[in-house]
Amino acid sequence: MAHFVIVYASITGNTEAMAKAIAEGIKQNGYQVDQIIAYDAHASDLNQCDGVLIGTYTWGTGELPDEMLDFYDELQVVDLSGKKAAVFGSYDSLYGDDGIAVDIMIEALTKQGADVIADGYKIELTPNAEQLEACAAFGRWFSDQVAQK
C-alpha cells in the first residue's frame, strides 16, 4: 500500500485546513498518510514514503515562514531522486505576493531530485468549502498518480 507524508506549516490554520483536506482525499483512496507539523519534521523521513506533499504559507512579502526554515535547510542534503512530490499553501495578496513560499519549496524539492508532478496549489486566505473539496480531489489525484508508478 502506498504511503504518503504531508509536512506543513500553518499560523492561521489556512494551510493546515488544506493539509487535512488533502490527507482526507488520500485516505479516501485507501492509502496511508502521515501529517507532520514542520517543526516536528525531518527531511530524512521523506525517504520512507512513496509520495511527498509540502504545505507552507507565505510569510511577509515572499518568504518561507520560520516554522519551515529548519526543514528547508535539512532538505538541501536529502536525495529525493524519483520521489513524486507536490507543494501547496495559502497566501495573502495584501502583502504583494502570490504564494511565493510554495514556489520556493517546489524549487528545493526539484533541486533534490524529486519529481514535482503538479503546479503549486495555492489558495488565498481561508479556503472555503468548495476549495477544501478541491483539496480533497487533489489528494485523490496525487495519490493515484503516485500509486500508478
Side-chain angles (χ1 to χ4, degrees), residues 7-145:
V7 175
Y8 69 94
S10 186
I11 194 169
T12 60
N14 297 339
T15 303
E16 180 179 18
M18 293 176 72
K20 287 181 178 182
I22 291 168
E24 187 56 36
I26 293 169
K27 290 176 189 174
Q28 288 170 355
N29 278 354
Y31 303 119
Q32 179 184 352
V33 58
D34 298 325
Q35 297 173 70
I36 307 169
I37 297 171
Y39 274 136
D40 297 330
H42 299 283
S44 60
D45 294 339
L46 301 181
N47 289 318
Q48 308 307 316
C49 66
D50 300 297
V52 175
L53 293 127
I54 307 295
T56 184
Y57 64 95
T58 299
W59 181 249
T61 57
E63 303 165 23
L64 287 173
D66 287 346
E67 304 94 319
M68 191 59 78
L69 294 178
D70 288 342
F71 179 80
Y72 177 82
D73 289 343
E74 286 182 22
L75 194 58
Q76 305 308 309
V77 296
V78 174
D79 182 9
L80 298 174
S81 297
K83 185 89 50 194
K84 292 191 187 294
V87 184
F88 63 94
S90 61
Y91 69 97
D92 185 347
S93 64
L94 177 67
Y95 295 101
D97 79 82
D98 63 349
I100 296 168
V102 169
D103 302 328
I104 292 169
M105 289 305 297
I106 289 172
E107 184 178 316
L109 289 168
T110 302
K111 181 180 173 192
Q112 297 313 116
D115 179 13
V116 179
I117 63 171
D119 292 336
Y121 189 63
K122 303 174 186 179
I123 294 177
E124 185 168 10
L125 300 173
T126 305
N128 60 35
E130 183 178 310
Q131 290 168 320
L132 290 174
E133 177 48 44
C135 287
F138 179 75
R140 291 188 297 271
W141 174 83
F142 180 80
S143 60
D144 278 344
Q145 297 304 305

